[in-house]
Amino acid sequence: MAERSTAAVDVADTSGEEPLTAKAGKATDDGAKADKVSEAEQDAAGTDDATAAAETEPPELHSGHKLARRYRLEECVTRLEGFSSWRAVDEKLRRAVGVHILPADHPRARPVLSAARASALLGDPRFVQVLDAVEENDLVYVVHEWLPDATELSAVLAGGPLEPHDAYQLVSQVSQAMAAAHREGLAHLRINPGSVLRTESGQYRIRGLAVMAALRGITSDEPQRTDTEAIGALLYAALTQRWPYENDAYGLSGLPKGVGLIAPDQVRAGVHRGLSELAMRAVVNDGATASRQEQPCTTPDELAKAVAALPRIRPPETSFTTPPPYQRTQYQQGSYGQSAARNGQMNRAAQPVPSPPPPLQSRTGKALKWAVSALLIAALGLGSWQLADNLLKGEKQEPQPNSQPAPKNKDQLTGKPLSIVTAKDFDPEGSDGSENPDETGKAYDSDPNSYWPTSSYRNWPNFGRLKSGVGLILDLGKKQRIGSTDVTFIGDTSVQLLAASKDATEMPTTLDAFTKVAEGSGSKVNLKPSKPLETRFVLVWLTKLPQDTGGDYRGKVTDIKVIG
């Protein structure tokens, strides 16, 4: 299934060799191979935990079951080691989500909850976001984003190796994202072609940060080195369409047995030399391995800096195919409708058709030209005579002594700014219902250096996912006709213009009292309704905020002008 291949969490895929610095549990109950573990890292604690996890029965759930009276389970995509993963529907927000479910007494329940909550706090859009992590009714479940329009890297590589520019974007984006995660103390430990997704815009997103390892009971004494080796393996596979270990994995063939790890440019011709050396520096971390004898990359941050130091790799130029030469039809060649044989004999070769004379060079054409010329001359003469006659008549007419100018249409717009009597902050979904009420006047004082700010929100530009928006209600003093509203922000901001009923005489207190008439985004937004409206109260409603220098999200309105 398309959705399952692009958005299901990679917890069932255990094929292939993991970096030797990662440690995993026993074989899964679906018969797949266990992750490779070095003998020095096998200990009794890990084995006991994997055994206990395998003996824990997954919760008996079925399609249609609801969690928290909100998440409706649709399809089970994984069931192993005492937990299950599902595609579900968030009925409250009407969107697809993914859910991991395991019993509350599962030996990995607490680590999974802790990892999910830590991953959710990161809030980095380069990772598939954790939306909820709950313990309820003897169950622990983790809800995450579902991306049906993204494609697993394993599916992308099934069509062939990546172009150098695409491989460069892959290693650059993934290494930078993991460097940011490690700065916050978070590791992945399960990066592979099944845990990296490519969106339609060419961006790469990583799923299962911290949660994947917690579900599988994977730990590492050197998490940064483990993730760096995994990113190097991704780059190796992207350049060669081969997995850099002897075992086949993720739909890719492994390297020949007994050969050892060889550089990508020795596996496949035409591989970018710089990217080939970079892959070797990341995959093999026990010494200099590239021909230039550069030091290995042992952390995602070192790898990201090494990628940035590479010479620029240009994207491939768009190729345009030359259209085929024009072919004359049978009719143009004079053979249309002719029979293939006559009296048992093949037709003689078609005689060439004489080309017709140039247009309007025949006797009939010359006569037609003279006739058209005569008509044009007559039309010009008649038009000139009528124009002169109208001018003479206009000079003879005297103005009326008591003539009055035509009355203006009372519905005509002036195009001038209307006076704003007052403005009130509007936060109907907030805990205290206010957003800096003492500074609302700065939003329309015509001073570009002053502004009305919203409160600060963390992690997400849509008000931290706590509310749908905040805004300012403008009181124009009386009912007036409005043509448009200009709003100036500091930073790109999404905004809507809402209008109260034209009969409203008091400032509304609920969002339902307003009707949306226009919307836009940017730092200077012109909100123009489809037709002029009459009202006394308008609401400038902010729906998405820009990020400030501190990393939080806050809206800043420097100027509002309501145009009549």
Side-chain angles (χ1 to χ4, degrees):
M1 295 180 63
E3 289 185 333
R4 179 170 179 176
S5 65
T6 58
V9 175
D10 174 36
V11 292
D13 187 2
T14 56
S15 60
E17 292 190 59
E18 291 296 317
L20 297 183
T21 52
K23 177 179 63 179
K26 289 178 60 180
T28 63
D29 58 6
D30 62 349
K33 295 181 180 179
D35 296 316
K36 182 175 180 179
V37 185
S38 63
E39 295 180 359
E41 293 173 328
Q42 291 178 346
D43 59 305
T47 305
D48 292 342
D49 177 72
T51 304
E55 293 176 352
T56 304
E57 291 295 330
E60 290 298 330
L61 302 172
H62 55 81
S63 298
H65 183 87
K66 285 188 182 180
L67 299 173
R69 293 182 294 180
R70 175 176 178 176
Y71 303 111
R72 186 180 73 249
L73 303 183
E74 293 287 332
E75 177 192 9
C76 181
V77 295
T78 302
R79 187 184 297 272
L80 70 158
E81 292 192 0
F83 67 88
S84 58
S85 299
W86 295 75
R87 176 175 59 85
V89 174
D90 183 348
E91 295 186 334
K92 183 176 181 180
L93 298 180
R94 298 181 180 179
R95 63 180 179 182
V97 295
V99 184
H100 302 304
I101 307 172
L102 65 164
D105 58 353
H106 194 286
R108 298 174 189 160
R110 296 300 171 190
V112 167
L113 272 178
S114 177
R117 290 167 179 171
S119 177
L121 290 176
L122 180 62
D124 192 321
R126 292 172 292 191
F127 296 92
V128 175
Q129 298 295 302
V130 172
L131 307 177
D132 209 351
V134 181
E135 180 178 1
E136 181 183 59
N137 297 333
D138 298 328
L139 292 178
V140 168
Y141 55 90
V142 177
V143 183
H144 62 88
E145 284 184 296
W146 187 275
L147 305 175
D149 296 330
T151 306
E152 287 183 2
L153 182 60
S154 56
V156 176
L157 295 180
L162 300 184
E163 293 288 339
H165 180 265
D166 292 335
Y168 172 84
Q169 290 295 326
L170 167 67
V171 68
S172 176
Q173 295 180 31
V174 175
S175 61
Q176 290 178 18
M178 288 309 305
H182 278 285
R183 284 193 291 269
E184 299 298 326
L186 294 172
H188 195 292
L189 308 184
R190 283 281 295 172
I191 298 176
N192 54 54
S195 61
V196 176
L197 308 176
R198 187 170 75 174
T199 65
E200 293 181 346
S201 62
Q203 301 300 310
Y204 292 93
R205 298 188 67 180
I206 307 169
R207 61 187 175 193
L209 177 66
V211 177
M212 191 87 71
L215 282 169
R216 298 302 307 275
I218 298 174
T219 61
S220 175
D221 295 332
E222 297 179 316
Q224 295 203 55
R225 179 174 173 179
T226 299
D227 284 341
T228 305
E229 288 185 31
I231 299 172
L234 287 183
L235 177 58
Y236 195 106
L239 296 173
T240 64
Q241 202 185 11
R242 299 287 292 267
W243 192 236
Y245 304 101
E246 291 185 351
N247 293 337
D248 299 345
Y250 312 107
L252 303 173
S253 300
L255 297 179
K257 297 184 182 298
V259 176
L261 184 61
I262 55 179
D265 55 1
Q266 297 178 10
V267 176
R268 175 177 166 267
V271 172
H272 188 276
R273 180 69 177 276
L275 292 176
S276 174
E277 294 179 352
L278 195 65
M280 294 298 290
R281 292 175 62 190
V283 173
V284 182
N285 280 316
D286 55 357
T289 58
S291 61
R292 293 164 60 186
Q293 297 297 308
E294 294 188 1
Q295 291 300 315
C297 299
T298 57
T299 68
D301 187 57
E302 292 179 1
L303 181 57
K305 291 178 180 178
V307 174
L310 286 176
R312 181 184 176 188
I313 301 177
R314 297 181 179 274
E317 296 183 359
T318 304
S319 60
F320 298 94
T321 58
T322 304
Y326 175 72
Q327 299 290 337
R328 299 181 67 185
T329 64
Q330 289 184 343
Y331 177 76
Q332 292 171 323
Q333 295 172 355
S335 60
Y336 180 79
Q338 296 181 2
S339 59
R342 181 179 300 168
N343 297 328
Q345 301 294 329
M346 296 297 294
N347 285 339
R348 296 180 180 179
Q351 297 296 325
V353 179
S355 59
L360 301 181
Q361 295 300 316
S362 62
R363 295 179 60 185
T364 305
K366 291 179 180 179
L368 181 61
K369 284 196 298 183
W370 281 109
V372 172
S373 300
L375 289 175
L376 288 175
I377 294 172
L380 289 173
L382 180 61
S384 301
W385 176 78
Q386 289 181 341
L387 178 61
D389 185 60
N390 290 335
L391 291 174
L392 291 174
K393 287 183 180 180
E395 291 178 355
K396 294 179 181 180
Q397 293 180 353
E398 297 182 358
Q400 298 292 333
N402 296 326
S403 61
Q404 299 292 334
K408 293 184 178 180
N409 185 356
K410 66 177 182 178
D411 294 334
Q412 186 176 0
L413 297 172
T414 63
K416 298 180 180 180
L418 301 177
S419 176
I420 300 175
V421 176
T422 185
K424 183 182 183 304
D425 62 305
F426 188 59
D427 185 15
E429 301 171 1
S431 58
D432 57 358
S434 65
E435 288 269 334
N436 297 319
D438 298 333
E439 301 183 64
T440 56
K442 297 179 181 180
Y444 58 95
D445 59 1
S446 300
D447 183 1
N449 298 319
S450 65
Y451 57 85
W452 168 74
T454 68
S455 300
S456 293
Y457 297 88
R458 300 189 62 186
N459 299 331
W460 293 280
N462 53 344
F463 301 87
R465 296 182 177 174
L466 300 176
K467 57 186 74 172
S468 61
V470 300
L472 289 172
I473 301 178
L474 309 178
D475 184 359
L476 305 180
K478 62 180 180 180
K479 181 174 68 174
Q480 302 198 53
R481 287 183 63 79
I482 300 174
S484 64
T485 300
D486 294 330
V487 188
T488 304
F489 301 97
I490 298 178
D492 289 347
T493 307
S494 297
V495 62
Q496 298 177 353
L497 181 66
L498 294 86
S501 169
K502 65 179 181 180
D503 299 327
T505 57
E506 296 183 356
M507 186 174 289
T509 58
T510 63
L511 189 60
D512 295 338
F514 292 92
T515 302
K516 184 176 75 172
V517 295
E519 63 181 340
S521 62
S523 58
K524 293 184 179 180
V525 185
N526 175 256
L527 301 170
K528 187 173 183 179
S530 58
K531 60 182 180 179
L533 56 93
E534 289 187 7
T535 185
R536 175 180 172 179
F537 304 99
V538 294
L539 170 59
V540 177
W541 183 246
L542 282 61
T543 58
K544 185 175 288 187
L545 307 178
Q547 192 171 25
D548 60 20
T549 56
D552 293 338
Y553 295 88
R554 167 177 284 192
K556 298 176 182 178
V557 183
T558 63
D559 190 41
I560 301 176
K561 283 186 173 58
V562 182
I563 311 300

